[in-house]
Amino acid sequence: GDLNYYNDYSLPNKIEPSIYVKGLEHNKIVFINGRVEKIEFNYEDENKIEIIDKVELEDKTKFENSLIDLNNAFTNKYYKIIVKENYVLKKPLIIYHAITKNLNLKNINLRLDFLLKENSCLKLIDISDDLSGKNFINTIYNFELNQDSVLKNYKIDQKTNSNIKYSFNNIE
């Protein structure tokens, strides 16, 4: 009953380097408290990856699902990552989801869209590192895979907490 929608993205959050996986070269997208703080594809050919941050919100999911509707209604900003034709990422992409310990009783909505063009490949690892409790985190990923593209997606939740998480992957 005390859950509020979190939408204070006015100030950047400090990235705690301890959240990063040690000993693994990887690309990064870092969410802290639902805000994208860093997007880094240092190991890739910059002409083969496109990041669009001014995306018109379109509902790619045609499901009757109130949690998807909630996410679409309250997602302030989202990104679209395009892997261009015939490109295989050299290193995996790790998406870090961190919630700070001072954030409680909030609803956080996240969304990312991925387009893998023909003959492309993406290895994606989602890592949750939540220090908070009693939040509802609603995450939607839309994946559009073209002919002969490959997606490998792994999800790891590192900490025990009292958050409720809903993760929906729409793969076309």
Side-chain angles (χ1 to χ4, degrees), residues 6-59:
Y6 185 73
N7 60 4
D8 181 12
Y9 300 115
S10 58
L11 298 174
N13 296 294
K14 182 181 178 221
I15 298 174
E16 192 59 49
S18 64
I19 67 169
Y20 294 143
V21 172
K22 310 283 186 280
L24 175 66
E25 292 178 337
H26 60 281
N27 302 293
K28 302 172 184 73
I29 296 178
V30 180
F31 284 98
I32 299 179
N33 296 338
R35 176 187 160 130
V36 173
E37 297 296 340
K38 178 184 268 191
I39 297 177
E40 188 176 277
F41 283 88
N42 291 345
Y43 297 98
E44 307 306 326
D45 180 345
E46 64 185 46
N47 297 319
K48 300 295 183 178
I49 304 283
E50 184 177 355
I51 302 164
I52 303 172
D53 66 348
K54 298 190 184 337
V55 183
E56 276 298 311
L57 186 62
E58 62 179 270
D59 185 9

Side-chain angles (χ1 to χ4, degrees), residues 70-133:
L70 176 76
N71 187 288
N72 288 336
F74 290 102
T75 296
N76 290 339
K77 181 175 184 173
Y78 78 99
Y79 291 81
K80 183 172 189 172
I81 312 295
I82 299 171
V83 180
K84 296 198 177 168
E85 193 170 318
N86 299 314
Y87 189 70
V88 175
L89 271 75
K90 297 172 186 142
K91 303 293 179 181
L93 170 60
I94 297 182
I95 300 178
Y96 294 94
H97 298 276
I99 309 290
T100 57
K101 62 183 172 187
N102 61 341
L103 197 70
N104 292 298
L105 298 171
K106 300 295 181 193
N107 170 229
I108 298 171
N109 296 283
L110 309 168
R111 177 173 167 178
L112 286 173
D113 287 0
F114 296 87
L115 170 58
L116 278 68
K117 293 200 173 181
E118 203 170 308
N119 297 312
S120 63
C121 179
L122 172 66
K123 293 178 186 110
L124 176 65
I125 303 168
D126 282 285
I127 297 182
S128 293
D129 190 358
D130 296 347
L131 300 172
S132 66

